[in-house]
């Protein structure tokens, strides 16, 4: 679905859900952003009919009725009693996916449009349900600090600069990027854009961006190419077979049993006077494994490869600073 149409449908749902009255098509046309662009009455009514059908196909119940016997045409609204979900039992993995989605819908940077829509309803004399914002909250929250400045740069068409840590190296490198968009793929956020240093399109995982994202240049300098599929680029990059690696770790005696179950013991070894064993473990995702290993603290020490050892040390240093 095109972005413009998706935004119009969200605005339509907000409008019909927030009102206690039945709104006629003409009134909706003057309130909901997107309909005022229709070049003619016929074009508007065709657009509105398609949108109503789309909402019904999505399972959103539209009520049709009139506010009084003096009304000459039908109006529309969405009853909260029909819109709200009942109790749902979810499996643990399903609940985790829903929890992720909920966390994504909570950032003040994306609330302006919805808030403005409700103000416009009130200004138009529509009786707005004061509890409606608690039902639909079109907001995005992500724990990635880079999300908000990158999204702002995309919307304003500005170049960004940031330090980026590659999977193969713990040391971040400076990147200058023309940002085309920020997309989510399999629970992770990615920036897609043109890397000026490499003079090629690239995808950047937000969790690997280190420090502050800085925007530079004038607004409108960056324009997303019309033929670029942002999600397709991210999916294509991440559907490649992961680069596995074998790591050698020292594990303190009697500790880190979860790690030991996945590792193969090699030999016993005292490290700084502490008894333990050297183990080998195959890591399918070495980058994410660094955080897992660092969670064991001093009970596990990476012996090799060097890149993993440096990454774990960097993470543990960050833990120590955060605890101060």
């Amino acid at each position: 679905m095109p972005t413009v149409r998706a935004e119009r449908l969200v605005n339509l749902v907000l409008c019909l859900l927030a009102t206690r009255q039945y709104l006629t098509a003409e009134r909706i046309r003057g309130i909901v952003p997107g309909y005022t662009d229709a070049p003619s009455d016929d074009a508007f009514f065709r657009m509105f009919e398609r949108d109503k059908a789309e909402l019904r196909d999505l399972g959103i119940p539209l009520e049709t009725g009139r506010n009084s016997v003096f009304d000459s045409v039908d109006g529309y609204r969405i009853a909260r009693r029909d819109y709200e979900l009942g109790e749902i039992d979810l499996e643990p993995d399903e609940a985790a996916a829903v929890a992720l989605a909920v966390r994504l819908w909570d950032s003040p940077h994306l609330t302006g449009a919805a808030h403005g829509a409700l103000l416009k309803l009130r200004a138009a004399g529509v009786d707005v349900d004061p509890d409606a914002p608690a039902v639909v909250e079109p907001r995005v929250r992500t724990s990635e600090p880079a999300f908000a400045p990158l999204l702002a740069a995309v919307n304003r068409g500005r170049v960004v600069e940031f330090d980026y840590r590659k999977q193969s190296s713990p040391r971040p490198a400076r990147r200058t990027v023309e940002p085309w968009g920020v997309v989510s793929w399999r629970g992770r956020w990615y920036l897609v854009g043109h890397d000026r240093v490499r003079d090629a399109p690239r995808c950047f995982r937000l969790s690997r961006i280190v420090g502050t994202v800085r925007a530079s240049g004038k607004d409108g300098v960056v324009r997303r190419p019309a033929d670029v599929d942002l999600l397709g680029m991210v999916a294509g990059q991440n559907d490649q077979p992961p680069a596995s690696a074998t790591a050698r770790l020292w594990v303190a005696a009697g500790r880190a049993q979860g790690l030991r179950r996945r590792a193969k013991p090699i030999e016993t070894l005292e490290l700084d006077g502490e008894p333990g064993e050297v183990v080998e473990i195959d890591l399918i995702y070495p980058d994410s494994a660094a955080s897992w290993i660092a969670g064991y603290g001093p009970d596990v020490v990476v012996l090799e490869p060097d890149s993993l050892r440096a990454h774990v040390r960097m993470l543990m240093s960050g833990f120590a600073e955060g605890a101060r």
Side-chain angles (χ1 to χ4, degrees):
M1 184 186 300
T3 302
V4 173
R5 186 180 180 194
E7 291 177 351
R8 188 176 68 243
L9 289 174
V10 170
N11 286 325
L12 178 59
V13 171
L14 281 170
C15 175
L16 298 181
L17 189 62
T19 179
R20 293 170 175 170
Q21 304 170 3
Y22 290 104
L23 301 181
T24 64
E26 281 295 339
R27 202 164 191 190
I28 291 171
R29 182 181 184 179
I31 294 172
V32 176
Y35 289 129
T36 54
D37 298 332
S40 65
D41 291 345
D42 288 342
F44 160 69
F45 282 109
R46 287 195 300 269
M47 185 188 304
F48 185 53
E49 289 299 320
R50 287 196 301 268
D51 289 351
K52 286 193 299 179
E54 183 73 32
L55 293 183
R56 289 189 173 110
D57 289 343
L58 292 172
I60 297 177
L62 293 180
E63 275 191 344
T64 304
R66 301 183 183 186
N67 297 310
S68 74
V69 295
F70 300 104
D71 290 341
S72 59
V73 295
D74 287 337
Y76 306 90
R77 71 181 183 186
I78 298 174
R80 290 180 59 188
R81 66 178 181 277
D82 297 327
Y83 184 83
E84 293 176 341
L85 293 174
E87 294 294 329
I88 301 176
D89 293 326
L90 299 175
E91 297 297 327
D93 57 338
E94 296 172 329
V98 171
L100 174 63
V102 170
R103 288 201 303 274
L104 299 179
W105 287 88
D106 196 12
S107 170
H109 299 281
L110 301 180
T111 59
H115 183 64
L118 296 181
L119 289 178
K120 195 169 185 179
L121 281 172
R122 293 188 178 97
V126 177
D127 184 13
V128 175
D129 187 344
D131 297 326
V135 180
V136 178
E137 299 181 349
R139 300 177 295 184
V140 175
R141 166 181 281 172
T142 169
S143 59
E144 306 296 348
F147 179 84
L150 287 176
L151 187 62
V154 169
N155 291 334
R156 297 177 62 180
R158 300 185 67 190
V159 176
V160 292
E161 296 180 357
F162 52 82
D163 292 328
Y164 189 73
R165 177 179 48 78
K166 294 174 61 177
Q167 178 176 336
S168 58
S169 173
R171 296 183 179 276
R174 195 67 174 173
R175 298 294 183 93
T176 302
V177 179
E178 299 173 9
W180 295 339
V182 181
V183 296
S184 177
W185 172 254
R186 293 182 177 176
R188 292 190 174 96
W189 286 97
Y190 296 85
L191 169 70
V192 183
H194 181 82
D195 188 332
R196 286 186 170 181
V197 176
R198 287 159 179 76
D199 193 24
R202 288 289 187 272
C203 303
F204 304 91
R205 190 191 297 180
L206 266 60
S207 61
R208 293 181 185 158
I209 293 178
V210 181
T212 303
V213 175
R214 300 187 183 278
S216 61
K218 298 180 179 180
D219 291 0
V221 172
V222 179
R223 295 183 180 274
R224 170 185 166 185
D227 59 345
V228 169
D229 180 0
L230 301 182
L231 191 58
M233 288 181 61
V234 174
Q237 172 182 284
N238 288 276
D239 280 344
Q240 300 299 320
S244 60
T246 300
R248 290 172 64 91
L249 314 173
W250 176 86
V251 184
R255 305 290 180 85
Q257 297 302 324
L259 186 148
R260 288 177 179 273
R261 284 193 291 270
R262 300 177 53 183
K264 179 177 69 174
I266 302 298
E267 60 180 341
T268 59
L269 176 69
E270 282 194 4
L271 190 64
D272 295 333
E274 182 78 17
E277 295 82 38
V278 175
V279 301
E280 281 189 354
I281 185 170
D282 292 327
L283 303 175
I284 300 178
Y285 298 97
D287 182 61
S288 58
S291 299
W292 172 60
I293 294 171
Y296 287 104
D299 293 337
V300 176
V301 176
V302 178
L303 302 178
E304 55 184 48
D306 293 340
S307 59
L308 179 62
R309 180 171 66 246
H311 190 183
V312 170
R313 285 180 176 175
M314 181 186 69
L315 291 174
M316 293 183 67
S317 297
F319 296 158
E321 291 179 2
R324 292 174 184 172

